[in-house]
Amino acid sequence: MARTDLRFKIATSKEEFEQIHHLNYKTFVKEIPQHEANSQERLIDPFHPENIYCICLRRGKLVGMLACRDKRPFSIDRKLEDLDSYLPLHSSICEIRLLAVEKDVRGTRVLLGLMSLLFEHCQKQGYDLAVISGTVRQLKLYNHLGFKPFGPLVGTAAASYQPMYITREHLSQKLIELLYTFRSKDDWRESVNFLPGPVRIRQEVQEAFKRAPCSHRSEEFSAAMAGIKKDLTQWLKARHVQILLGSGTLANDVVGAYLFAMMGKKKGLVLSNGEFGNRLLDQARRAGLNFEEHAIPWGKGFDYKEIEKRLDKRDDPLQWLWAVHLETSTGVLNDLPRLKDLCCQHQIALAVDCVSSIGAVPMDLSGVYLASGVSGKALCSYPGLSFVCYNQVLKGGTLPRYMDLELYQQSEGVPFTQSSNLVYALQQALEYAVDRDMSINQRLGEWLRAKLQELGIQVLASAEEAAPNVLTLVLPQGIRSIECGDKLEKEGYALSYRSSYLRQRNWIQVCLMGEYEPEEILAFPEVLGQCMKKLGLRDSKEGE
């Protein structure tokens, strides 16, 4: 069973709930005789309206589930008097129920994925303890998962259960152990992808990409393109967007070209606090723009009062500002709302490179003059498409045809040949991106930052100025980034470390932009610590 065949999520649709009722019947009537049989072969849990279901789908078919609820009394409260007297101290508790996995996928990573999703849900809700009634038929499994038994057996002779509990901390450790177990199996050979791109891509997005190509003049293609543009403008709060066949560099070149076309020789300001800010400086020069630069040391956030001083009244007032939102090289998240406010107060145009931030952090591009984005990275589709968002009428008649956004708008977004495969993949990816809970990235990123700092590893950007999903790590003296990155790859983690700007500074980078499981993040600090320890011991021996 391929890893990408599986999709883990919280159940939301009627179809998913209907499959839950049938798997519930199959498990707790046919396999474990806890309830009476019925002709519909359908069992609705009495707590169904209160349950949150973590489920695993394989090509749309439910193959595993578990339910979680936090409303007392729990089902176990009704089976065991004075439940709390058996439990360790806790601040918030939930009950896990209805753990069921189809027989043909037991022993695979389905259970690991369900437990990871449960951990993520517990983190989000603040639960630090979970209780479960474990069937005596599977006590070995529950013990293996880290549950601790307490109290007497409950239930009936035919369906007997052992009350058990697990703390959130113990669950996180067990997930790490399970990760190593499954990574050694044949059904999991794919590396954990902590790259800024290309990222791990959902099976559904891969299937969309594999559709037979169609003409960019067909009604089907036009409908797909219109849907993407509608989703992007509504989600990002921009009036217009045009989709380009090319990378983020193309989108930023278009932004530079429009700043020149619309502003002429009016002076602007380009900000830089990292590699991609420096690239904007280069693109501004190549576009022939008249500008001043405001560059600060890498890894630092801007002093916005200093920027405001440069924008205040002067003999040659600035008319535009161009900056990177998420500076991927350092992990600094520049303050877009603050930049918008400054530009609004001084009535100047704001252009923003949002290549790494769209899909990673909440975004409001209303009032922004021009903004660039891409289909890959945090949107979790294939690289190859980029886009420019804007909120005003643009005149590009003097620009090369391929860069003329006015021409795109007149042609309903498709003036030239486009890739239907890339468009279909992006359309599918956006279905997930627009509903993604971005706070999950922030919580896991904060957890990872704290763990790495406990190991004595420096994260370049401060917590106050950092993006939630990009951690640039400054390695200790004596640990070479190339060797550390190579060793991590052998351990199953693909990180960014080969770029020249990273090699020069002896940095490696963790990017949480694609599809990943929580246990992959939980295990990383220990893996990195072991790699650094081995490299450090080797270097110390070589120095003797």
Side-chain angles (χ1 to χ4, degrees):
M1 177 177 57
R3 175 198 176 109
T4 51
D5 285 346
L6 303 178
R7 181 185 176 199
F8 297 92
K9 67 184 295 284
I10 301 296
T12 55
S13 71
K14 290 182 179 180
E15 181 182 356
E16 290 165 353
F17 290 130
E18 190 60 32
Q19 291 193 65
I20 285 169
H21 302 327
H22 285 287
L23 182 56
N24 199 18
Y25 182 92
K26 189 175 183 179
T27 304
F28 298 104
V29 176
K30 287 187 170 182
E31 185 176 351
I32 302 173
Q34 186 177 347
H35 301 276
E36 292 185 5
N38 62 64
S39 58
Q40 293 82 23
E41 296 196 346
R42 185 172 180 268
L43 178 63
I44 300 178
D45 184 69
F47 300 110
H48 175 68
E50 301 168 1
N51 288 341
I52 298 296
Y53 293 96
C54 300
I55 63 172
C56 176
L57 301 171
R58 182 172 61 180
R59 299 180 183 246
K61 180 182 181 298
L62 181 70
V63 295
M65 69 177 190
L66 61 80
C68 177
R69 62 186 289 266
D70 58 10
K71 187 175 180 180
R72 304 290 288 266
F74 295 147
S75 64
I76 198 172
D77 277 308
R78 300 176 180 181
K79 302 171 186 173
L80 187 65
E81 291 186 8
D82 199 14
L83 170 63
D84 293 284
S85 66
Y86 294 95
L87 302 176
L89 291 175
H90 57 275
S91 59
S92 183
I93 186 174
C94 65
E95 181 179 36
I96 304 166
R97 304 177 57 252
L98 308 182
L99 175 59
V101 178
E102 290 281 13
K103 288 183 179 180
D104 65 327
V105 294
R106 291 177 187 174
T108 70
R109 68 175 304 275
V110 169
L111 181 59
L112 171 61
L114 290 173
M115 296 302 291
S116 297
L117 189 57
L118 172 69
F119 176 79
E120 192 175 286
H121 178 69
C122 289
Q123 285 275 83
K124 182 177 181 180
Q125 298 299 323
Y127 306 140
D128 56 358
L129 188 72
V131 293
I132 191 171
S133 299
T135 174
V136 294
R137 304 175 184 214
Q138 294 289 344
L139 284 184
K140 184 178 180 180
L141 169 65
Y142 290 117
N143 286 321
H144 181 61
L145 292 174
F147 287 91
K148 294 185 177 182
F150 66 88
L153 294 179
V154 296
T156 64
S160 187
Y161 294 88
Q162 172 65 59
M164 309 180 87
Y165 72 80
I166 191 169
T167 65
R168 185 172 58 197
E169 291 73 17
H170 196 198
L171 176 57
S172 70
Q173 289 302 312
K174 276 296 175 180
L175 287 175
I176 294 172
E177 294 174 17
L178 289 169
L179 173 68
Y180 283 114
T181 299
F182 280 97
R183 281 179 59 195
S184 66
K185 292 188 174 184
D186 290 339
D187 68 343
W188 194 344
R189 295 194 181 278
E190 183 183 358
S191 293
V192 178
N193 187 330
F194 284 169
L195 295 169
V199 298
R200 184 187 293 162
I201 294 173
R202 287 179 180 268
Q203 180 69 23
E204 295 90 338
V205 177
Q206 295 181 46
E207 294 297 331
F209 180 79
K210 293 175 184 177
R211 290 171 58 181
C214 75
S215 168
H216 60 288
R217 299 302 180 200
S218 67
E219 291 184 4
E220 179 185 7
F221 183 86
S222 297
M225 182 66 82
I228 290 173
K229 293 174 68 175
K230 180 180 179 181
D231 286 344
L232 284 173
T233 53
Q234 289 181 348
W235 186 39
L236 303 176
K237 300 178 178 63
R239 290 184 182 178
H240 310 286
V241 64
Q242 301 301 336
I243 313 297
L244 313 171
L245 184 59
S247 69
T249 301
L250 170 64
N252 280 329
D253 278 340
V254 170
V255 170
Y258 264 93
L259 287 174
F260 183 83
M262 302 298 286
M263 300 293 173
K265 287 297 182 179
K266 294 177 181 177
K267 185 177 286 188
L269 181 66
V270 181
L271 309 183
S272 176
N273 57 350
E275 171 67 16
F276 295 94
N278 284 356
R279 293 188 191 185
L280 289 190
L281 291 171
D282 179 62
Q283 288 177 290
R285 294 186 194 102
R286 290 170 182 262
L289 294 171
N290 179 22
F291 69 96
E292 298 175 0
E293 64 178 73
H294 180 73
I296 65 172
W298 288 26
K300 301 294 184 183
F302 292 111
D303 181 340
Y304 294 93
K305 291 183 179 179
E306 181 64 28
I307 294 173
E308 186 170 17
K309 289 179 183 177
R310 299 193 67 161
L311 298 180
D312 279 338
K313 290 182 179 179
R314 41 191 276 172
D315 294 337
D316 54 344
L318 301 175
Q319 299 296 318
W320 54 270
L321 186 149
W322 197 5
V324 174
H325 185 201
L326 198 171
E327 178 50 73
T328 326
S329 63
T330 63
V332 171
L333 183 68
N334 293 317
D335 193 336
L336 179 57
R338 187 75 179 271
L339 290 174
K340 286 173 59 176
D341 287 345
L342 286 174
C343 290
C344 180
Q345 290 169 18
H346 291 82
Q347 297 183 321
I348 68 174
L350 173 62
V352 191
D353 174 346
C354 298
V355 165
S356 291
S357 55
I358 291 176
V361 295
M363 186 77 64
D364 182 350
L365 295 179
S366 60
V368 171
Y369 192 68
L370 293 154
S372 56
V374 294
S375 56
K377 293 186 179 290
L379 287 186
C380 300
S381 187
Y382 293 91
L385 296 179
S386 58
F387 47 89
V388 177
C389 301
Y390 53 103
N391 289 294
Q392 63 289 312
V393 175
L394 296 175
K395 298 294 182 182
T398 61
L399 296 179
R401 289 176 61 82
Y402 200 70
M403 305 174 77
D404 187 345
L405 299 181
E406 185 182 16
L407 184 57
Y408 281 76
Q409 190 159 347
Q410 292 169 355
S411 306
E412 297 182 347
V414 195
F416 317 114
T417 300
Q418 263 283 13
S419 167
S420 59
N421 302 82
L422 289 173
V423 166
Y424 290 147
L426 177 57
Q427 182 184 36
Q428 184 68 49
L430 280 173
E431 289 189 16
Y432 304 112
V434 296
D435 293 325
R436 184 179 299 142
D437 183 354
M438 296 180 189
S439 65
I440 293 173
N441 267 6
Q442 182 173 351
R443 289 192 300 274
L444 290 173
E446 289 172 351
W447 179 91
L448 183 56
R449 169 186 285 271
K451 284 294 181 182
L452 292 173
Q453 290 176 334
E454 286 177 13
L455 291 173
I457 300 170
Q458 179 187 352
V459 181
L460 180 63
S462 69
E464 295 75 23
E465 297 172 329
N469 64 322
V470 179
L471 291 87
T472 299
L473 309 181
V474 182
L475 296 182
Q477 188 174 2
I479 305 293
R480 292 184 283 276
S481 60
I482 286 290
E483 294 181 348
C484 187
D486 287 344
K487 196 163 189 63
L488 285 167
E489 279 197 353
K490 291 178 181 178
E491 293 295 325
Y493 281 90
L495 279 74
S496 182
Y497 63 96
R498 292 191 175 96
S499 296
S500 59
Y501 63 87
L502 294 173
R503 293 200 311 269
Q504 291 166 7
R505 295 164 175 80
N506 206 44
W507 296 346
I508 62 175
Q509 196 171 65
V510 178
C511 295
L512 309 180
M513 288 192 179
E515 296 293 331
Y516 51 81
E517 310 297 343
E519 72 272 9
E520 297 170 343
I521 299 172
L522 298 175
F524 178 71
E526 183 178 341
V527 175
L528 176 59
Q530 290 298 320
C531 286
M532 290 177 55
K533 184 177 180 181
K534 290 175 183 177
L535 290 172
L537 286 173
R538 190 208 62 185
D539 287 346
S540 64
K541 288 179 181 178
E542 289 178 353
E544 291 175 358

